[in-house]
Amino acid sequence: MPLKTDEELLSEYREDKYQKFTEHEACWSLNARGESCLHIAVVNGNLKSVRFLISKNINVNQRATGIFFLPADQVGWRKKETDFKGLAHYGEYPLAFAACHEHYEIYDYLMNYGANPNFQDSFGNTVLHLVVITNRVDFYKYAVKHMTIPGDTTITNIYDLTPLALACKLGRPEIFHVMLELSAIELWRYSNITCSVYPIANLDTVDPDGVTSWTTALNLILDGETDEHLDMMEGKVIKQLLDEKWKTFAQRGFFKLLVFAFLHLVLLSIAVYTRPISGFLQYRGAIDAVRFICEIIVCILCVLVLSLSAKDLYQLGIKGFLKNSSHAPSKTIFVMCCLLTLLCIPLRFAKLEGAEDFLMIIAVPGSWCVLLFFARGMVLTGPFVTMVYKMIIGDVFRFVIIYLIMVGAFAQAFFFLFRDIDDSSITTFRDLVATIINLFQMTLGEFSYDHMNQAHYSTLTKLLFIVFMILIPILLLNMLIAMMGNTYQSVINKAEIEWKKQWAKTISVLERSYSEKELREFQEEFSIPITKSGESGESSRPPRGLMVIKVSNKTRATQRKGALSNWKYYGKEIIKQVKEHLKKNTKEPMVIQEMKKKMYIKDMD
């Protein structure tokens, strides 16, 4: 019996009390535009329905582009960035749906009828990107090594992210390590010791031409803030890449900057301690001569710091410079303090000593923050510097917001209670600014209880004081201590890996101070050229890789023995299903059990 068309079905439809069509916003707001019967069959894992639909010439590359299939943060309007999180974000093509649900047989069947894993959806994502988003580790191996059309690992989406880079951005450590192993080229093996080369084109922080790339794996890992991103730092490949960069150029640059910063701070301290109260341009003897010499050298060093920062700004651009500054906040503060120090020169010749003192009061303590940059790169102090940063940005920032709201509320009440009182000795609440300062002192436990008897309403003032002490010193301060305790515990539990991340950020900041030519030369020192078909790329330089020697869990003989055993088991299942199909005289495709399929995946490692 031929299938009826939509028009024929609608003409036969009769609405009654049992068949009543009602528009419902909750359903229609799903907007599953473009979804076909094939998509539904794939999601449900129904191979028979897929085979039937394809026999009726359904489009195997039909795209589902409705709101229902979008990432949650892209519904309503498109944003520049996305985390790809959604209830049903499986891409647009039926093949991507099959991959995201790990339906191996349906994936193979669609491939045989024109589906292509390298087709890109509206976000530029291929099947490999979608497998990364849904974190299907085993299926990634299967798609990359598929016998019909292997997935292309070099295709980038509209955010300029390859599947490897996307795994780093989303924090997928397991699939990330699998990607590295699949890209490796084995040079030699001795028992369970292997020597392999890992391509660094999409791994290193700079591209083959020496230009900083913000979408490479290492940069995206350093930008991540989750525990999963920390786990990605523990791999042998990342560790050796950082070690090679440290030995090649970063260690030398690190200690040069440390000596430079130490010299700057020593000279600045001498200039401050020999500074007179007034008459900065007057010469009174040898001590002023020493001060002038130190001030001149400090100004020269400040000019050098600003010129190097201007060079970084020119090489990285405004966006790259700001991002690089966020990786080294203490160094950024030091650069700003150098600028404030140089601004003191015109103020001195203009004899604006008060303005000069104001700038120096900010510049001198701020300059010492540069030592935090070096402390972050050391094993002993690195985790504690991380704690300070996280507490300031997270715990203290949230506390200050709530604290200002509370102080603003109580300041007005205390101000009116003590306004125009007869006792002239009480000056702590004479105006709004003094009231706020006094409330801050009360937060720290410094207050005069006797003053409250002089307020307009002493009983009300005392009640208000009790409420203030309960809410702020007791409640808020203890909440701050508890939040800081949680931050401390979270950092100290992963102290070593936290230090490695901060150490890696230090290396990346030092790296960006070199020219493109120097970075190319450094990369050639710690990497070797590789020749592998299909990886030539657009760069004029040949692709390069990082040679890593490591111990594997199994020897080649053990792997071969396990693979042979699995294939025998797999072959028995095939023979069994062939016999069943011959008995039933059916031409349906064979369905391999999920366990067997996963065994096959492991053999491909």
Side-chain angles (χ1 to χ4, degrees):
M1 181 178 179
L3 293 175
K4 296 182 179 181
T5 64
D6 292 343
E7 291 76 12
E8 291 173 337
L9 291 173
L10 287 173
S11 64
E12 295 176 0
Y13 177 75
R14 295 293 181 269
E15 185 174 297
D16 53 32
K17 63 179 181 179
Y18 300 108
Q19 296 187 121
K20 188 173 180 62
F21 175 77
T22 304
E23 291 190 6
H24 193 280
E25 184 179 355
C27 296
W28 286 103
S29 63
L30 296 178
N31 191 1
R33 178 164 52 88
E35 184 184 33
S36 65
C37 297
L38 183 58
H39 290 90
I40 299 173
V42 170
V43 169
N44 291 320
N46 194 326
L47 181 58
K48 291 182 178 179
S49 297
V50 171
R51 184 170 177 268
F52 172 75
L53 292 170
I54 291 179
S55 68
K56 301 302 179 181
N57 297 322
I58 194 171
N59 183 9
V60 296
N61 292 315
Q62 172 69 31
R63 302 173 70 169
T65 58
I67 293 176
F68 183 63
F69 303 107
L70 289 176
D73 56 8
Q74 298 294 309
V75 176
W77 64 87
R78 289 292 180 95
K79 299 179 181 178
K80 291 184 178 180
E81 298 290 337
T82 178
D83 56 8
F84 293 108
K85 292 180 180 178
L87 294 176
H89 182 56
Y90 310 127
E92 297 174 357
Y93 295 101
L95 190 67
F97 276 52
C100 292
H101 289 85
E102 294 187 305
H103 296 321
Y104 295 93
E105 292 81 9
I106 294 177
Y107 185 86
D108 293 341
Y109 200 81
L110 292 173
M111 291 273 280
N112 292 333
Y113 286 89
N116 192 319
N118 299 321
F119 284 173
Q120 296 176 270
D121 61 18
S122 301
F123 293 94
N125 292 328
T126 64
V127 164
L128 295 186
H129 289 90
L130 271 303
V131 169
V132 170
I133 292 171
T134 53
N135 201 22
R136 306 296 186 181
V137 180
D138 288 339
F139 206 96
Y140 182 88
K141 303 176 190 177
Y142 186 75
V144 168
K145 292 192 173 184
H146 200 275
M147 61 189 72
T148 305
I149 305 178
D152 191 346
T153 59
T154 62
I155 296 177
T156 58
N157 60 15
I158 62 174
Y159 302 104
D160 197 28
L161 298 175
T162 62
L164 178 68
L166 183 59
C168 297
K169 182 178 177 63
L170 299 180
R172 304 281 193 265
E174 187 177 357
I175 200 169
F176 169 71
H177 294 307
V178 167
M179 290 175 174
L180 292 182
E181 296 306 319
L182 289 175
S183 67
I185 305 172
E186 187 175 309
L187 299 181
W188 54 264
R189 176 185 290 264
Y190 183 81
S191 183
N192 62 337
I193 302 173
T194 59
C195 177
S196 304
V197 177
Y198 295 83
I200 60 174
N202 296 316
L203 186 63
D204 196 6
T205 49
V206 296
D207 63 18
D209 294 322
V211 181
T212 298
S213 176
W214 300 103
T215 56
T216 53
L218 187 53
N219 270 329
L220 292 170
I221 292 173
L222 296 181
D223 287 338
E225 298 294 337
T226 64
D227 290 341
E228 287 75 16
H229 287 97
L230 288 178
D231 294 337
M232 298 172 83
M233 298 287 298
E234 294 184 327
K236 174 69 175 177
V237 180
I238 294 293
K239 183 180 181 300
Q240 180 155 336
L241 176 61
L242 292 173
D243 286 338
E244 295 292 342
K245 291 162 81 74
W246 174 256
K247 290 186 293 185
T248 303
F249 63 88
Q251 184 178 22
R252 182 172 63 251
F254 180 85
F255 287 107
K256 280 183 179 179
L257 285 179
L258 180 59
V259 172
F260 177 88
F262 183 75
L263 177 63
H264 179 94
L265 293 176
V266 169
L267 295 174
L268 182 61
S269 299
I270 294 174
V272 169
Y273 289 127
T274 57
R275 184 184 180 90
I277 298 176
S278 61
F280 300 148
L281 290 174
Q282 296 179 9
Y283 180 77
R284 301 177 182 85
I287 192 169
D288 282 328
V290 172
R291 175 171 62 87
F292 287 146
I293 293 173
C294 291
E295 289 177 342
I296 291 172
I297 297 176
V298 167
C299 290
I300 294 173
L301 295 178
C302 288
V303 171
L304 182 59
V305 170
L306 292 178
S307 62
L308 292 175
S309 298
K311 175 187 173 185
D312 294 342
L313 178 61
Y314 174 76
Q315 289 183 176
L316 301 175
I318 296 177
K319 185 177 180 181
F321 180 78
L322 293 176
K323 197 167 187 178
N324 188 50
S325 299
S326 67
H327 284 180
S330 54
K331 186 180 177 183
T332 304
I333 293 174
F334 177 70
V335 173
M336 296 173 63
C337 291
C338 289
L339 178 61
L340 294 178
T341 302
L342 293 178
L343 290 177
C344 293
I345 298 176
L347 295 178
R348 174 168 297 189
F349 286 103
K351 297 184 178 181
L352 298 174
E353 295 181 354
E356 182 182 345
D357 286 339
F358 178 79
L359 293 183
M360 290 302 296
I361 289 171
I362 300 174
V364 172
S367 297
W368 283 84
C369 291
V370 72
L371 295 182
L372 293 176
F373 173 77
F374 302 100
R376 187 179 68 167
M378 299 179 180
V379 182
L380 184 64
T381 56
F384 295 96
V385 175
T386 304
M387 290 178 198
V388 172
Y389 288 159
K390 288 191 174 184
M391 287 178 182
I392 292 175
I393 296 174
D395 304 331
V396 175
F397 181 73
R398 284 177 289 180
F399 170 79
V400 167
I401 293 175
I402 304 300
Y403 181 75
L404 290 177
I405 294 173
M406 292 289 187
V407 169
F410 282 97
Q412 296 181 22
F414 278 106
F415 173 71
F416 284 110
L417 287 170
F418 284 91
R419 188 176 184 181
D420 300 329
I421 60 175
D422 297 333
D423 193 346
S424 59
S425 63
I426 302 176
T427 58
T428 52
F429 300 101
R430 65 180 180 275
D431 55 41
L432 194 58
V433 176
T435 302
I436 293 174
I437 294 174
N438 190 51
L439 289 180
F440 178 73
Q441 292 176 335
M442 288 169 61
T443 303
L444 301 178
E446 297 181 11
F447 57 88
S448 179
Y449 188 76
D450 295 336
H451 289 175
M452 298 179 189
N453 294 323
Q454 307 299 323
H456 293 297
Y457 307 98
S458 60
T459 304
L460 179 60
T461 303
K462 293 174 183 178
L463 289 174
L464 190 66
F465 170 75
I466 293 172
V467 174
F468 176 83
M469 296 301 290
I470 292 174
L471 289 179
I472 297 183
I474 297 177
L475 182 62
L476 283 184
L477 283 182
N478 282 284
M479 284 179 61
L480 176 62
I481 294 171
M483 289 190 298
M484 288 183 172
N486 289 335
T487 302
Y488 171 83
Q489 196 63 40
S490 65
V491 174
I492 208 66
N493 286 340
K494 292 192 174 184
E496 183 178 355
I497 192 64
E498 278 282 3
W499 166 75
K500 285 183 181 179
K501 183 177 180 180
Q502 300 305 319
W503 176 59
K505 284 188 176 182
T506 302
I507 293 175
S508 66
V509 171
L510 294 171
E511 180 182 62
R512 292 169 196 136
S513 63
Y514 293 97
S515 65
E516 295 177 6
K517 181 181 178 182
E518 290 174 317
L519 291 177
R520 286 197 302 268
E521 293 174 353
F522 293 149
Q523 196 177 80
E524 289 176 355
E525 286 186 39
F526 65 78
S527 63
I528 61 174
I530 56 176
T531 54
K532 185 178 179 181
S533 59
E535 292 188 1
S536 58
E538 298 179 357
S539 176
S540 57
R541 299 174 67 228
R544 305 190 68 84
L546 182 70
M547 186 171 66
V548 179
I549 300 176
K550 62 180 182 179
V551 178
S552 59
N553 295 328
K554 296 180 180 180
T555 63
R556 179 66 74 184
T558 305
Q559 292 178 356
R560 190 179 295 111
K561 183 178 179 180
L564 183 61
S565 175
N566 290 339
W567 273 107
K568 286 181 179 178
Y569 196 33
Y570 186 80
K572 289 179 181 178
E573 180 69 22
I574 294 289
I575 295 172
K576 178 181 177 182
Q577 292 196 31
V578 168
K579 291 180 178 179
E580 290 178 355
H581 285 193
L582 290 175
K583 288 180 180 179
K584 296 178 181 179
N585 194 22
T586 179
K587 295 183 179 179
E588 293 183 359
M590 289 180 289
V591 179
I592 308 302
Q593 295 179 16
E594 197 71 16
M595 181 181 67
K596 308 297 192 307
K597 206 67 174 181
K598 289 189 176 181
M599 290 170 60
Y600 170 68
I601 296 295
K602 292 177 182 178
D603 292 342
M604 295 167 62
D605 292 347

